[in-house]
Amino acid sequence: MEQYKKEFIEFMVDSEVLKFGDFTLKSGRKSPFFMNAGAYVTGTQLRKLGEYYAKAIHDNYGLDFDVLFGPAYKGIPLAVATSMAISELYGKDVRYCSNRKEVKDHGDTGILLGSNLKDGDRVVMIEDVTTSGKSIEETFPILKAQADVQIKGLIVSLNRMEVGKGGKKSALDEIKELYGIETAAIVSMADVVECLYNKEVGGKVVINDALKEAIDAYYAQYGVK
């Protein structure tokens, strides 16, 4: 596993973005882990987060693209922070773009925030985590309606590695099949377990034997077969 991925996993734990315990997800599933990207709230955290995304985008899609699109609302700071990090790390200027939840009819009008889209633009979509693909379902048609763009792929921070709405494939694989776009994540839950099992972060073991058993049981029920 690349060093930046190990650092990112510890960063999620230190930032209290990735937590372990007993959680009820929006889907109704009982999960031993929970991720809340809304817990990234400081300038330092957002700068680091942008760097991890930038490195993962570089590894998975290269830098041959024009626009980084973050679906509203959580995708907005992700797109801004990551576009800045790409500039700083690789000297490449990409535009950032997002959608508005409601069309603005005065001043800076339209459905888009940030850069406009034009025919031929190559776009990478950025999200925190995808469990059902709902935000892509909402924003994919918006992107295609604005211009004849090429969507190179979707990047998320964590691949939860559990079945999506169809009940057979992961949410990322469902998106890939439905929309014909590549999908990738900075890390997967398999990476998280490999990195944190019986390892101390901040002076305590994050994933002990009991938690490892709970995670294994969760994936036995909801994991991708």
Side-chain angles (χ1 to χ4, degrees):
M1 189 189 313
E2 294 89 336
Q3 183 61 32
Y4 79 87
K5 293 186 177 184
K6 296 178 182 177
E7 292 174 1
F8 176 63
I9 291 167
E10 294 188 11
F11 171 66
M12 284 194 290
V13 174
D14 286 338
S15 302
E16 297 188 343
V17 166
L18 181 60
K19 296 183 177 183
F20 298 92
D22 295 305
F23 304 96
T24 300
L25 306 180
K26 189 181 294 185
S27 62
R29 295 174 183 173
K30 303 286 187 180
S31 173
F33 60 91
F34 179 70
M35 180 189 169
N36 173 26
Y40 295 120
V41 293
T42 71
T44 298
Q45 287 173 332
L46 289 171
R47 177 181 58 77
K48 287 183 178 180
L49 181 61
E51 290 174 356
Y52 292 126
Y53 267 110
K55 290 175 181 178
I57 289 171
H58 177 266
D59 283 359
N60 286 280
Y61 301 122
L63 298 173
D64 194 21
F65 68 98
D66 309 293
V67 180
L68 196 56
F69 178 85
Y73 290 103
K74 286 184 178 179
I76 298 173
L78 297 181
V80 172
T82 305
S83 62
M84 293 172 68
I86 289 172
S87 173
E88 292 171 1
L89 291 176
Y90 304 109
K92 165 80 173 182
D93 249 346
V94 297
R95 290 137 49 208
Y96 98 89
C97 178
S98 180
N99 63 298
R100 291 185 170 101
K101 289 290 188 178
E102 296 177 356
V103 178
K104 189 177 179 184
D105 59 4
H106 62 280
D108 181 20
T109 60
I111 193 70
L112 298 181
L113 178 71
S115 174
N116 288 324
L117 296 173
K118 59 181 184 290
D119 290 349
D121 275 343
R122 296 157 301 176
V123 179
V124 171
M125 303 180 73
I126 183 169
E127 278 211 292
D128 55 349
V129 65
T130 296
T131 52
S132 68
K134 183 179 180 182
S135 64
I136 302 300
E137 183 181 326
E138 294 172 349
T139 56
F140 193 89
I142 293 173
L143 279 173
K144 286 296 189 179
Q146 302 308 304
D148 184 16
V149 300
Q150 173 194 351
I151 300 178
K152 293 198 67 172
L154 165 70
I155 185 83
V156 300
S157 60
L158 177 67
N159 180 358
R160 290 185 58 99
M161 297 177 60
E162 57 193 85
V163 292
K165 291 190 296 185
K168 294 183 179 179
K169 299 181 178 180
S170 72
L172 288 179
D173 284 342
E174 286 180 349
I175 289 169
K176 181 176 181 178
E177 184 177 89
L178 186 59
Y179 299 103
I181 62 175
E182 294 299 316
T183 59
I186 303 176
V187 294
S188 68
M189 273 306 297
D191 295 329
V192 170
V193 173
E194 177 187 337
C195 182
L196 297 181
Y197 180 44
N198 282 335
K199 179 181 177 183
E200 287 190 4
V201 176
K204 66 177 183 179
V205 173
V206 181
I207 300 180
N208 56 22
D209 290 340
L211 183 55
K212 174 69 161 53
E213 287 182 12
I215 293 172
D216 289 345
Y218 183 79
Y219 279 108
Q221 184 172 5
Y222 297 116
V224 178
K225 300 295 189 290

